[in-house]
Amino acid sequence: MGTLSTMAWLLGFVLSSLVPTEANQQVFLPSNAAHGLLSRQKRKNFLLEELRPGNLERECREEQCDFEEVREVFENNEEAWKFFRTYMVTSNVCASAPCWNGGTCHSTPGDYNCTCKTGYSGRSCEIENDVCASNPCKNGGWCQNEATHYKCSCETGYYGQNCEHGPQDCTSHGQTCDHFCKLKDVYLCCYCAQGYKLGEDQKSCVPEVPYPCGKLSIPSAIDDSDLILRAIIGDQRCQRGEYPWQVLLKHNDEIVCGGVILNEDFVLTSAACVNHLHSFTVVLGEYNLEVDEGIEQTINVSRMHIHSRYSRMTFENDIALLELETPIQFNNYTSPICLPEADFAEFFLMNSEYGAVSGWKLKQGRVEQPVLLGVPYVPYIKHASCEGVQPFPIVHRMFCAGFEELADPLCSLTRGSPLVTSYKGVWFLTGMSLGADEYNCNKIPVYTKVSRYVNWIKKIMRQTRSGH
């Protein structure tokens, strides 16, 4: 068949399909059938187009279809409206936004499909799925469903939306810092805790004051091989000066709680210990409660800074900073613990095998053992193994340490006492025992994770000093 004959046949077919008869009330074939029948390149509109006879394919396929364009083809308002209503339903079904919860709509002839966001399914993305089902949290993080999204609570030393990032590692690029590191330009630079300065190698930390934090003036006689034996069945009485940062809180000469020295002006303790008190004192350098050894210092508390989100119901944010009326005088038996940087604590300290806890043994408000006790072997426990050990939730700002054989001696110690960890011969604060009486002493003890409050502590200290 010649080219002219083919074109004439096609033109006749299209014109005949536009004649409105009873047998042909539908103006168009379904779109898939029409496209299969007339497969050709899209025509370009050209000069004097409006002088040409109305053509439905040109008006509503090659151009933006509106009612005036359709009326030109049908030359009949009733037929034009009938077609136009059908056209709008099939071609613009997504205009009614049928996809919920941020889903993306795709129109098809007379229908639509929705591409749903993560966590949703269904024809219109109306079904909320378990967003934690895909295990989005990396590196041992645990997932929590929160309405339309999830939240990852990360294991020690990891951060990011999915716990995908580890902390800044001070051992990178051959750099081994005694204490902390920070990124400066493209290099990791070492810096030290209070009372220390960088050595000539720019890595080591050298004491620059007589009583730097975390350093014992009286060497401990405890050997590492004796730690477990001493912790479980041995004599838990520590030597004088073995925990020089330990303090005792008293109210009207009655023992309230323990605490820990941060510097000459501040002591840290549990919020539950002091939340109900208006005035009390801090005793430093205490060892034997029944003997006045002449090295004790008793200082009034001038101001309490209890964490604003402390909860008496769940024991969350159970931490309080105490501001003292007069500075502490440091000596061999009274000196501060080192406050770590957050990443350093969670990546290095809390990945250690064990820490140490100190305090006086109290039962039912009475002193059972008047000499300061120390439990030098308190193993850290992963969060997954810690869940369910107490009748309250163990949130990411808490951690567990110890084992059941240690449960009684540990949670009988004065509440609000510190858990400390040694790193390269210096002791750092990693936890504070909860001030609650209610938790089960037959189970593993729970501590407030100090690393999550380092910025809060430092902010209060700065504000207080600037106010002076």
Side-chain angles (χ1 to χ4, degrees):
M1 183 181 291
T3 301
L4 292 176
S5 300
T6 301
M7 292 181 63
W9 181 84
L10 286 173
L11 179 60
F13 176 83
V14 171
L15 291 175
S16 64
S17 68
L18 297 178
V19 177
T21 64
E22 291 185 2
N24 187 20
Q25 290 296 318
Q26 284 190 327
V27 179
F28 275 105
L29 291 171
S31 61
N32 55 349
H35 285 302
L37 181 63
L38 289 177
S39 179
R40 60 175 178 78
Q41 292 294 322
K42 194 174 185 178
R43 293 181 301 183
K44 301 291 185 182
N45 297 331
F46 54 86
L47 191 62
L48 302 178
E49 175 198 350
E50 296 301 327
L51 299 179
R52 300 169 56 200
N55 183 287
L56 194 57
E57 181 185 359
R58 182 179 73 250
E59 310 294 0
C60 288
R61 296 293 185 189
E62 297 178 12
E63 303 177 23
Q64 178 65 41
C65 185
D66 60 24
F67 179 73
E68 286 301 320
E69 301 286 0
V70 174
R71 194 177 63 81
E72 288 181 14
V73 175
F74 287 97
E75 298 181 351
N76 181 291
N77 286 345
E78 184 179 347
E79 292 295 331
W81 274 117
K82 181 178 179 182
F83 169 80
F84 191 67
R85 283 194 296 270
T86 303
Y87 170 82
M88 290 302 292
V89 169
T90 59
S91 63
N92 200 26
V93 69
C94 287
S96 62
C99 302
W100 296 7
N101 298 308
T104 303
C105 183
H106 308 279
S107 63
T108 59
D111 205 353
Y112 67 91
N113 290 318
C114 291
T115 300
C116 302
K117 285 189 173 182
T118 303
Y120 296 94
S121 62
R123 172 171 168 76
S124 298
C125 306
E126 73 280 8
I127 301 173
E128 181 180 347
N129 300 329
D130 180 3
V131 292
C132 289
S134 61
N135 297 318
C137 303
K138 310 299 181 185
N139 298 308
W142 56 101
C143 186
Q144 301 169 356
N145 282 296
E146 293 196 353
T148 60
H149 60 286
Y150 65 88
K151 179 181 179 181
C152 291
S153 294
C154 303
E155 276 283 10
T156 299
Y158 294 93
Y159 62 96
Q161 181 179 352
N162 297 319
C163 306
E164 70 273 22
H165 300 302
Q168 209 173 76
D169 187 348
C170 291
T171 62
S172 299
H173 311 298
Q175 187 76 279
T176 306
C177 302
D178 270 6
H179 294 176
F180 319 132
C181 71
K182 59 185 174 183
L183 190 64
K184 186 176 182 181
D185 298 327
V186 294
Y187 301 101
L188 286 172
C189 300
C190 299
Y191 64 106
C192 304
Q194 68 177 26
Y196 297 83
K197 64 179 180 179
L198 273 179
E200 293 182 359
D201 59 1
Q202 299 298 301
K203 300 177 183 179
S204 59
C205 290
V206 182
E208 61 176 350
V209 295
Y211 299 102
C213 69
K215 204 74 173 176
L216 298 181
S217 299
I218 298 176
S220 174
I222 303 302
D223 185 82
D224 283 355
S225 61
D226 297 330
L227 292 179
I228 299 178
L229 181 63
R230 176 181 168 187
I232 300 175
I233 61 174
D235 187 357
Q236 295 166 2
R237 289 180 297 177
C238 66
Q239 301 179 72
R240 228 163 41 107
E242 191 176 354
Y243 297 92
W245 42 79
Q246 176 75 49
V247 303
L248 187 67
L249 272 57
K250 282 188 172 183
H251 174 65
N252 295 333
D253 290 330
E254 292 186 3
I255 295 174
V256 176
C257 274
V260 63
I261 303 170
L262 296 185
N263 60 32
E264 61 182 6
D265 297 313
F266 288 95
V267 164
L268 195 68
T269 188
S270 158
C273 291
V274 298
N275 188 48
H276 60 287
L277 299 178
H278 298 292
S279 64
F280 53 95
T281 58
V282 172
V283 184
L284 311 105
E286 184 66 272
Y287 177 66
N288 189 330
L289 300 177
E290 297 178 340
V291 178
D292 185 356
E293 294 155 325
I295 58 173
E296 299 90 346
Q297 301 175 55
T298 300
I299 302 177
N300 292 327
V301 174
S302 62
R303 189 177 179 186
M304 293 184 293
H305 302 271
I306 297 174
H307 199 282
S308 61
R309 295 196 300 275
Y310 163 61
S311 170
R312 290 180 294 177
M313 300 298 295
T314 64
F315 314 120
E316 293 183 63
N317 308 301
D318 186 14
I319 197 164
L321 190 60
L322 308 180
E323 188 177 343
L324 305 181
E325 277 189 359
T326 57
I328 301 170
Q329 301 299 313
F330 294 141
N331 54 50
N332 288 348
Y333 306 101
T334 302
S335 60
I337 192 67
C338 288
L339 185 66
E341 296 293 341
D343 281 354
F344 175 76
E346 298 202 12
F347 192 66
F348 289 103
L349 300 178
M350 298 186 71
N351 277 324
S352 300
E353 184 180 357
Y354 59 88
V357 177
S358 56
W360 289 269
K361 190 172 184 180
L362 305 176
K363 279 199 171 180
Q364 297 178 345
R366 296 183 179 181
V367 177
E368 188 170 285
Q369 173 54 265
V371 176
L372 181 65
L373 303 180
V375 184
Y377 186 83
V378 184
Y380 284 102
I381 296 174
K382 292 291 185 183
H383 190 277
S385 302
C386 186
E387 292 181 305
V389 300
Q390 295 293 345
F392 53 89
I394 310 300
V395 298
H396 65 281
R397 290 174 176 264
M398 303 175 182
F399 68 94
C400 295
F403 39 88
E404 290 193 11
E405 290 83 352
L406 273 176
D408 183 70
L410 281 176
C411 68
S412 294
L413 295 179
T414 38
R415 300 174 295 142
S417 288
L419 187 149
V420 297
T421 307
S422 179
Y423 185 81
K424 295 187 177 181
V426 177
W427 291 88
F428 293 86
L429 179 64
T430 45
M432 297 293 295
S433 63
L434 297 184
D437 287 322
E438 293 84 351
Y439 71 83
N440 191 342
C441 274
N442 296 318
K443 299 294 182 180
I444 299 169
V446 181
Y447 299 84
T448 297
K449 189 183 292 186
V450 173
S451 60
R452 301 299 175 98
Y453 300 91
V454 169
N455 291 337
W456 176 79
I457 294 170
K458 288 183 175 180
K459 181 180 178 181
I460 293 174
M461 288 181 174
R462 284 195 304 268
Q463 291 173 343
T464 302
R465 285 171 178 162
S466 62
H468 291 168

